[in-house]
Amino acid sequence: MSLGITIRKIREQKGLLQKQVAADLGIGHTNYNKLENGNREPSVKELQLLARLFDMTVDQVLNYEGELPGEVTLEDKPEFERIKLINQLDEDDRSTVFKIIDTMLTKKKFKDFFNKNVAAL
């Protein structure tokens, strides 16, 4: 997929009009139209502005695969799927998640221990 087509798809998925994006880039509508039609490549500055406007990174725009990622929520997912999603995180993020869980479980054990022993007094 050409970069122009990619930019058009992202713009459409974001619900933006060509004239809005052209104005944000500081270029005329005709120049922007050429960009989406593949008759002109965006400058580095224009690409950076597009990424910011689309709330994406330049890399995400350049490597776009046809659909914007949606928000991921674990709350409504079954346990096995939650673990699967956590395991998709990179090593540092996964480690952080498990440290948070460890801390919460330790806190719960102390709370349960305290409540049990205070009730026994």
Side-chain angles (χ1 to χ4, degrees):
M1 177 176 346
S2 77
L3 183 55
I5 291 171
T6 296
I7 291 168
R8 179 186 308 137
K9 284 186 179 249
I10 297 170
R11 176 186 57 78
E12 289 172 348
Q13 286 184 1
K14 294 285 186 174
L16 300 169
L17 300 173
Q18 278 189 345
K19 64 182 179 181
Q20 291 173 297
V21 178
D24 285 344
L25 293 179
I27 62 175
H29 179 265
T30 305
N31 263 337
Y32 182 77
N33 193 31
K34 287 179 182 177
L35 192 148
E36 280 194 2
N37 289 326
N39 296 324
R40 128 189 213 305
E41 292 294 320
S43 68
V44 172
K45 182 179 178 181
E46 289 170 339
L47 193 53
Q48 290 170 330
L49 289 170
L50 282 167
R52 193 173 306 132
L53 176 65
F54 295 155
D55 196 27
M56 299 170 74
T57 65
V58 171
D59 186 56
Q60 287 172 320
V61 172
L62 293 173
N63 296 302
Y64 180 74
E65 294 183 7
E67 192 173 316
L68 295 172
E71 184 177 323
V72 176
T73 56
L74 294 177
E75 208 169 7
D76 301 331
K77 302 212 181 313
E79 244 178 82
F80 73 92
E81 196 170 337
R82 291 177 185 181
I83 298 299
K84 188 174 150 186
L85 288 168
I86 291 170
N87 283 327
Q88 291 176 5
L89 298 172
D90 67 37
E91 183 68 32
D92 288 340
D93 289 343
R94 191 170 49 247
S95 176
T96 300
V97 168
F98 287 127
K99 284 178 186 174
I100 291 169
I101 292 170
D102 288 346
T103 301
M104 294 173 94
L105 289 171
T106 301
K107 184 178 173 183
K108 182 185 180 331
K109 282 188 173 205
F110 274 114
K111 186 176 178 182
D112 291 348
F113 175 79
F114 180 77
N115 287 337
K116 179 181 173 188
N117 287 315
V118 168
L121 294 178

